[in-house]
Amino acid sequence: MPGKIQKPKIITFEVTRHCRFHCQHCRTTADAGRADDIPTDKCKKILKAVADFTKCTLVFSGGEPMERPDIYKLIHYACSLRLKPVLATCGYLINEKSIVKLKQVHLSALAFSLDGATAHTHDFLRQSEGSFDQILRAADLARKAHLSFQINSTISRYNFNEINAIADLAYKIGAACFNPFILVPTVCDEQSQTDHTNNSSDLILDPVEYEALLNQLLEMKLSSPIDIRVSCGPSFSRIIGQSGAEKRLKISEGCRGGVDSGFISFNGDLQTCPFLNISAGNIIDEKYDFAKIWLHSKFLSEIRDKSKYEGPCAACDYRDICGGCRARAYFACGDYRASDPACSYSEKQK
């Protein structure tokens, strides 16, 4: 049974879906117009609802959050609420003027998306020529402005052979952290749950590739000059445990979505993460009572209770420190309590 409900340490807020890129791995129709964005006043009420419950890191994401004309006001307001504002960006709107403004509104850090060690790979995945150079320029501006930044990379079948080179590049350009996100299959917005096709289906790692990648990431983490965090790879906790490296590394408890992190969608839905498109409740509809949803949602209660998981994940020796990916389970069979199909270890226990 789950213990005491934790307050979130990180909340990601999808403030827009507008973006000029059409990335192959994007989970959304990211070229949606700004007309669909939550208005400024309602965004501020959502931020206050979060801050009234917990003082956490608040990541502004999208789409491209810099496409919002009011993004500086939202960052400044988040800071005034004693939240720690971070901006996750593709980088194409980061320039000398915008960096100065971001510093003026007390942005804590930036998270740049970099999906390849070369322009060929990154530009192909982002489907935008010149996007690699834009990220490097943006990172250089952030470094010169003494604004901390990390590198986020979506790792797929197309670029997983470059992961060492991406990490080396992140270090070279001054990143404080390299954060690989292992691609999670999703059903795009207008598709039904039975239509398991999206623009990233050919990029998804199979269980053997996934396992090999996690072992490679462990080797990198043990020797990297900068911090390496692994997102959307809960089995990484198992890999650390199996290797005995827990003597040198702290083992996190797999996916933290709905436990001490959450995601607020473009329409105000509170979700565990961007990839499990199930609402625990809509913050606007609930009159901005974030605490009510976080503490009393039946869906979140089920996510937190690993004893209710099914299949190999339920019987796994590493269930309590891993738990598998609930979004992958939902994509595979329509049940977020099912076993993680990407995990070859759990498959051996059938």
Side-chain angles (χ1 to χ4, degrees):
M1 294 293 293
K4 182 180 178 181
I5 297 175
Q6 301 179 48
K7 291 186 176 183
K9 297 176 182 178
I10 299 176
I11 291 291
T12 300
F13 188 4
E14 181 186 45
V15 290
T16 184
R17 288 196 165 185
H18 185 67
C19 184
R20 300 177 195 180
F21 291 168
H22 299 275
C23 304
Q24 295 196 45
H25 52 268
C26 187
R27 66 187 174 79
T28 70
T29 51
D31 57 352
R34 293 191 189 94
D36 296 329
D37 293 349
I38 299 174
T40 304
D41 61 332
K42 291 185 177 181
C43 281
K44 286 186 173 181
K45 289 180 180 179
I46 289 174
L47 292 172
K48 188 174 187 307
V50 172
D52 285 346
F53 182 62
T54 182
K55 305 304 181 186
C56 65
T57 297
L58 196 293
V59 182
F60 291 96
S61 75
E64 173 50 62
M66 288 290 289
E67 289 283 358
R68 283 192 67 122
D70 62 354
I71 189 63
Y72 303 106
K73 292 180 180 179
L74 295 178
I75 292 169
H76 186 264
Y77 185 66
C79 189
S80 74
L81 295 170
R82 293 192 293 127
L83 297 170
K84 183 179 178 181
V86 174
L87 186 75
T89 173
C90 298
Y92 61 79
L93 289 175
I94 300 296
N95 53 43
E96 290 86 351
K97 290 183 179 179
S98 60
I99 277 287
V100 170
K101 289 182 180 179
L102 291 171
K103 289 275 288 185
Q104 289 174 338
V105 295
H106 307 295
L107 182 73
S108 293
L110 286 154
F112 292 122
S113 298
L114 179 64
D115 297 324
T118 65
H120 174 79
T121 302
H122 179 84
D123 291 1
F124 173 77
L125 289 169
R126 295 275 157 178
Q127 298 192 73
S128 179
E129 185 177 354
S131 58
F132 179 80
D133 292 334
Q134 288 173 335
I135 279 290
L136 295 187
R137 283 195 295 270
D140 186 56
L141 287 169
R143 181 182 58 80
K144 290 177 178 177
H146 304 288
L147 188 54
S148 179
F149 68 90
Q150 70 179 50
I151 293 296
N152 293 346
S153 300
T154 299
I155 305 302
S156 67
R157 179 169 285 174
Y158 189 81
N159 66 353
F160 78 105
N161 62 331
E162 292 187 18
I163 192 164
N164 274 296
I166 301 172
D168 289 344
L169 180 57
Y171 172 66
K172 179 181 178 181
I173 63 178
C177 169
F178 173 53
N179 190 3
F181 285 70
I182 301 172
L183 181 64
V184 177
T186 56
V187 178
C188 290
D189 299 335
E190 284 75 25
Q191 294 172 325
S192 69
Q193 179 59 34
T194 57
D195 180 10
H196 283 186
T197 58
N198 71 352
N199 55 356
S200 65
S201 57
D202 293 336
L203 300 175
I204 298 166
L205 297 172
D206 65 31
V208 174
E209 293 167 330
Y210 176 62
E211 188 82 359
L213 174 62
L214 293 177
N215 278 281
Q216 184 178 357
L217 285 168
L218 175 59
E219 293 179 7
M220 293 169 61
K221 187 172 179 65
L222 288 169
S223 61
S224 174
I226 60 173
D227 188 22
I228 293 182
R229 302 170 192 163
V230 179
S231 296
C232 304
S235 294
F236 190 60
S237 298
R238 167 178 57 82
I239 296 295
I240 294 175
Q242 287 176 305
S243 69
E246 71 272 15
K247 296 176 182 178
R248 297 174 59 187
L249 301 174
K250 179 181 178 182
I251 297 182
S252 61
E253 296 181 16
C255 177
R256 306 301 290 167
V259 180
D260 63 12
S261 68
F263 175 81
I264 300 171
S265 76
F266 74 104
N267 63 359
D269 284 337
L270 178 59
Q271 302 174 195
T272 58
C273 74
F275 310 108
L276 183 52
N277 193 24
I278 298 176
S279 176
N282 186 278
I283 298 173
I284 298 172
D285 293 345
E286 292 293 338
K287 304 186 187 310
Y288 303 97
D289 194 341
F290 179 92
K292 176 183 175 182
I293 302 172
W294 187 262
L295 295 173
H296 302 293
S297 162
K298 180 177 181 294
F299 165 60
L300 292 181
S301 178
E302 291 179 343
I303 286 288
R304 293 165 185 151
D305 189 354
K306 294 180 181 179
S307 70
K308 298 293 177 62
Y309 292 178
E310 300 171 358
C313 275
C316 182
D317 299 337
Y318 294 93
R319 183 193 69 184
D320 290 340
I321 65 168
C322 172
C325 175
R326 299 301 97 212
R328 288 189 178 96
Y330 186 68
F331 176 86
C333 63
D335 186 350
Y336 51 79
R337 294 167 298 184
S339 194
D340 184 347
C343 181
S344 58
Y345 182 83
S346 65
E347 288 297 307
K348 295 176 184 176
Q349 299 188 96
K350 283 186 176 179

